[in-house]
Amino acid sequence: MPATVTLAEYIFTRLRQLGVGSIHGVPGDFNLTLLDYVAPSGLEWVGNANELNAGYAADGYARIKGLSALITTFGVGELSAVNAIAGAYAERAPVVHIVGTPSRATQDGKLLVHHTFNDGDFRRFGKMHAHITVAQASLRDPLTSPDQIDHVLQQCLMHSRPVYIELPVDLVDAPVDSDKLQIHITVPKALPTSASDEALARVIDRIYAAKQPIILADGECRPLGIVEDVQALVKSTNWPTWTTPFGKGLFDETLPNFNGTYNGGYDYPAIQKAFEEADLVLCFGPHWSSTNTYAYTSIPKAGVCISFTDTEINIDDQVFRDVPARLAVSQLLQKLDVSKSQQYDVAFHKQLRSHIPASVAFSDVSKDSSLSQDKLWRAFEPYLRPGDIILGETGTSGYGVREMRLPTRTRVFVPATWLSIGYMLPAAQGAALAQRELQKEKKQNKDQDSGRTILFIGDGSLQMTVQELSTIIRLNLNVIVFLLNNDGYTIERVIHGLHERYNDVPHWRYLQAPSFFGAGQDSFTKNVKTWGELEEVLKDERLMDGKGLRMVEITLEREDVPEGPLKEYLEKERVR
């Protein structure tokens, strides 16, 4: 490596070292010279339809690959991406947002230039981002910029949340010392302390005393880096285990002690009883948003819950601070003698799992009858494969995919907190790209080489971000889109305004979209309205084993929703 590199080369080298293979974003006059360095640095430039979509895609990429990067231009570009960055912050996706800014001379001179408020204040947008990123760097000096970059990237990894870097155009090719690139950026390793020892001792005592212990694994296990250790605890303890919607797909659902997603007050009485009678609930990576907890009904009782968060263990009313989850769970796995804990027999697990609905066989439904969501989601289960990435858009799809029983190593995206309608389509592009890169890097198991990205999205949501179909097509990504056409914003209708015009959307010829956005004439598209038609299309090798974008439009009734909260909302709205 030469003694010096340009600042652009420095940041792109760092990103490659951290596993980033592609850069999402949109060109603009303040980032064009920076983009000149993307391809020479060995990175792929994606080039999205707009900055909001680029941010969503970077979020999806980060959740699969572990880190992503987004480049926008100053002002108009970065503000277009703000909603996506905010969502990544809320749901903990590590996105590095790099903004090309005007030259230092322009900023220091407070010149009245485009993409500003024409008042000479160039710090407004950085201040906005300070609220939705965990670390920020305004690069001004070549001597200190490498250290700033390294610090911000480390914070992104530590917290699994977005960070923000401003790079003025006159610093893009500034020479910087390359020596630092020999030292890789890592997350500081937590060491056991008297506080962590005391907390773990308390946890283990509670485990040994428990007569009806259970496990609830939530979605922040991913950003906390504890998925594998929690999975090991689930296997070794053999305790009844549930996940939350946000945690779905992170853990092996084929285990005999795994009972699916806990739906709180909407779950089966026997499952609710298991939580009510539990004298210990080990909760890993809790994310207690209203959506993720079924209106707070799935949050375990405080008196029996021990939760492991970023840097704390919460036991009853006591908080043990400065005990990172990665250290705590790792130590628990090492120190716990499972032979001293409650042992559940096979019959007990079978009884609990008997409440999990079976897959829907097409032989059990009339081939000519219309499709409905009370059975639809479980009909897809036999067609899922290890390594698939499944995305359920905010709306009925987001609730529907929670019902699916998954094969091993299947990742799922469901709305957890931010619920920005339209997110999942660009996220599918980012996830599919990350998936392809991992397959090329052979970092997945052999049976994951055939893993697909499968998106379930409503017609209203698709209209928000439909342009990103063109990026999927241009990159030749393997994405299957199941479009649920229920004639508008059904999820909004059941909340309020069942028959109001504001929940309508324009009628599109959806299956012409792939052709319009550049797909070949042989791209797979199909409309299905009946169970027989759905069975036929799911058995079609062109759909299930094909390449590139494939799209199936599923026609549903306007007021058709999955069982659970949406059905309850619907019934209340009908009697308004």
Side-chain angles (χ1 to χ4, degrees):
M1 180 175 289
T4 63
V5 294
T6 66
L7 190 53
E9 291 170 327
Y10 186 93
I11 194 168
F12 290 145
T13 300
R14 278 304 196 201
L15 290 173
R16 283 199 64 194
Q17 289 175 347
L18 294 173
V20 175
S22 302
I23 308 289
H24 290 88
V26 177
D29 56 349
F30 293 127
N31 67 26
L32 293 175
T33 55
L34 176 62
L35 300 187
D36 287 338
Y37 287 89
V38 172
S41 296
L43 296 165
E44 179 176 3
W45 171 248
V46 174
N48 298 89
N50 58 58
E51 290 88 357
L52 176 61
N53 288 0
Y56 287 152
D59 178 305
Y61 181 102
R63 297 193 198 199
I64 298 299
K65 201 80 187 289
L67 188 74
S68 71
L70 164 71
I71 296 179
T72 66
T73 196
F74 176 74
V76 294
E78 60 182 309
L79 292 190
S80 291
V82 159
N83 182 47
I85 297 300
Y89 186 95
E91 298 188 5
R92 304 195 66 163
V95 178
V96 181
H97 187 185
I98 304 167
V99 178
T101 65
S103 69
R104 290 170 293 172
T106 298
Q107 295 186 50
D108 293 344
K110 299 184 181 299
L111 301 185
L112 307 184
V113 298
H114 61 287
H115 296 345
T116 71
F117 293 140
N118 212 37
D119 60 0
D121 186 349
F122 289 85
R123 291 295 305 136
R124 290 181 185 272
F125 310 127
K127 292 175 183 176
M128 293 178 187
H129 278 80
H131 295 282
I132 53 173
T133 56
V134 293
Q136 307 82 36
S138 178
L139 306 183
R140 305 287 292 181
D141 184 344
L143 293 178
T144 58
S145 290
D147 286 331
Q148 289 179 275
I149 292 167
D150 290 356
H151 170 73
V152 164
L153 293 177
Q154 186 183 56
Q155 293 297 305
C156 189
L157 295 173
M158 287 176 61
H159 299 284
S160 191
R161 281 195 161 115
V163 295
Y164 176 80
I165 299 174
E166 297 177 45
L167 180 53
V169 292
D170 62 311
L171 277 182
V172 167
D173 56 2
V176 297
D177 193 336
S178 66
D179 284 348
K180 292 182 180 295
L181 293 173
Q182 307 303 316
I183 304 173
H184 285 219
I185 297 172
T186 58
V187 174
K189 185 177 180 180
L191 300 174
T193 64
S194 58
S196 65
D197 290 341
E198 180 186 357
L200 281 173
R202 285 278 302 277
V203 171
I204 291 173
D205 286 345
R206 288 286 297 274
I207 289 175
Y208 292 158
K211 301 300 181 185
Q212 292 180 269
I214 59 179
I215 292 173
L216 181 63
D218 207 339
E220 296 209 9
C221 289
R222 171 189 54 80
L224 295 180
I226 60 174
V227 171
E228 290 187 7
D229 283 345
V230 171
Q231 182 70 78
L233 280 167
V234 171
K235 286 184 177 180
S236 63
T237 63
N238 196 37
W239 291 357
T241 298
W242 286 263
T243 188
T244 65
F246 193 29
K248 187 170 181 60
L250 294 176
F251 305 95
D252 186 356
E253 298 197 4
T254 66
L255 293 175
N257 58 317
F258 189 89
N259 298 289
T261 303
Y262 179 44
N263 301 329
Y266 298 91
D267 218 319
Y268 295 97
I271 304 301
Q272 293 188 52
K273 182 180 179 183
F275 271 81
E276 285 296 320
E277 295 181 349
D279 57 358
L280 176 62
V281 181
L282 290 187
C283 183
F284 299 98
H287 186 89
W288 299 144
S289 72
S290 59
T291 312
N292 193 46
T293 60
Y294 291 88
Y296 312 111
T297 63
S298 66
I299 300 176
K301 294 180 296 186
V304 301
C305 182
I306 296 178
S307 62
F308 297 77
T309 63
D310 288 68
T311 58
E312 297 176 353
I313 298 178
N314 295 271
I315 306 176
D316 298 330
D317 295 328
Q318 187 172 3
V319 178
F320 290 87
R321 303 185 187 282
D322 303 320
V323 186
R326 192 173 299 186
L327 169 69
V329 181
S330 175
Q331 291 279 297
L332 178 60
L333 191 59
Q334 293 176 31
K335 295 181 177 182
L336 181 64
D337 183 350
V338 294
S339 67
K340 297 180 181 179
S341 66
Q342 172 64 29
Q343 304 295 306
Y344 290 97
D345 59 24
V346 173
F348 180 85
H349 288 305
K350 283 186 176 179
Q351 176 62 26
L352 273 180
R353 286 177 63 84
S354 69
H355 298 282
I356 300 176
S359 298
V360 172
F362 285 102
S363 59
D364 297 333
V365 293
S366 170
K367 292 185 181 297
D368 296 327
S369 60
S370 299
L371 295 164
S372 59
Q373 295 194 56
D374 59 338
K375 298 182 181 68
L376 177 66
W377 302 100
R378 294 189 298 280
F380 282 103
E381 290 177 356
Y383 300 91
L384 303 178
R385 299 173 183 168
D388 282 346
I389 300 172
I390 300 166
L391 301 96
E393 176 61 77
T394 295
T396 60
S397 298
Y399 282 86
V401 297
R402 304 178 193 186
E403 300 179 10
M404 295 176 171
R405 289 185 298 179
L406 307 175
T408 58
R409 294 180 294 280
T410 304
R411 289 293 300 276
V412 176
F413 286 42
V414 301
T417 295
W418 195 242
L419 276 64
S420 187
I421 293 177
Y423 158 81
M424 291 289 178
L425 173 53
Q429 178 263 291
L433 181 57
Q435 182 184 49
R436 184 167 70 185
E437 290 178 2
L438 287 173
Q439 289 169 346
K440 287 181 178 179
E441 295 164 12
K442 301 299 181 184
K443 289 186 178 180
Q444 293 180 315
N445 293 285
K446 289 183 179 179
D447 63 355
Q448 287 183 289
D449 288 342
S450 61
R452 305 154 302 180
T453 299
I454 304 173
L455 168 66
F456 294 92
I457 187 169
D459 51 335
S461 298
L462 184 87
Q463 293 193 14
M464 292 277 192
T465 51
V466 67
Q467 311 98 315
E468 224 50 43
L469 288 176
S470 63
T471 309
I472 291 171
I473 293 166
R474 178 167 50 82
L475 298 180
N476 196 30
L477 296 172
N478 294 325
V479 178
I480 300 173
V481 177
F482 288 102
L483 170 67
L484 276 64
N485 187 345
N486 47 18
D487 195 24
Y489 297 121
T490 292
I491 191 169
E492 309 293 10
R493 295 189 199 281
V494 303
I495 293 172
H496 185 80
L498 190 60
H499 304 294
E500 298 298 333
R501 291 184 59 192
Y502 49 69
N503 286 323
D504 296 342
V505 299
H507 292 165
W508 287 8
R509 298 183 181 93
Y510 293 102
L511 294 184
Q512 294 183 21
S515 175
F516 174 80
F517 286 116
Q521 295 299 315
D522 59 344
S523 61
F524 186 93
T525 61
K526 190 74 78 171
N527 175 268
V528 297
K529 297 183 177 68
T530 67
W531 289 105
E533 291 172 344
L534 180 63
E535 179 183 18
E536 183 180 342
V537 80
L538 290 179
K539 290 181 178 179
D540 194 318
E541 292 182 357
R542 294 173 298 166
L543 173 69
M544 307 310 286
D545 298 310
K547 300 295 183 182
L549 175 68
R550 288 143 282 163
M551 189 170 181
V552 176
E553 180 181 7
I554 300 175
T555 302
L556 298 166
E557 294 296 327
R558 176 184 283 197
E559 297 178 16
D560 178 59
V561 296
E563 298 292 334
L566 298 188
K567 181 73 76 172
E568 182 178 289
Y569 298 159
L570 174 62
E571 296 307 322
K572 289 180 179 178
E573 188 64 16
R574 281 174 172 170
V575 298
R576 266 184 177 278

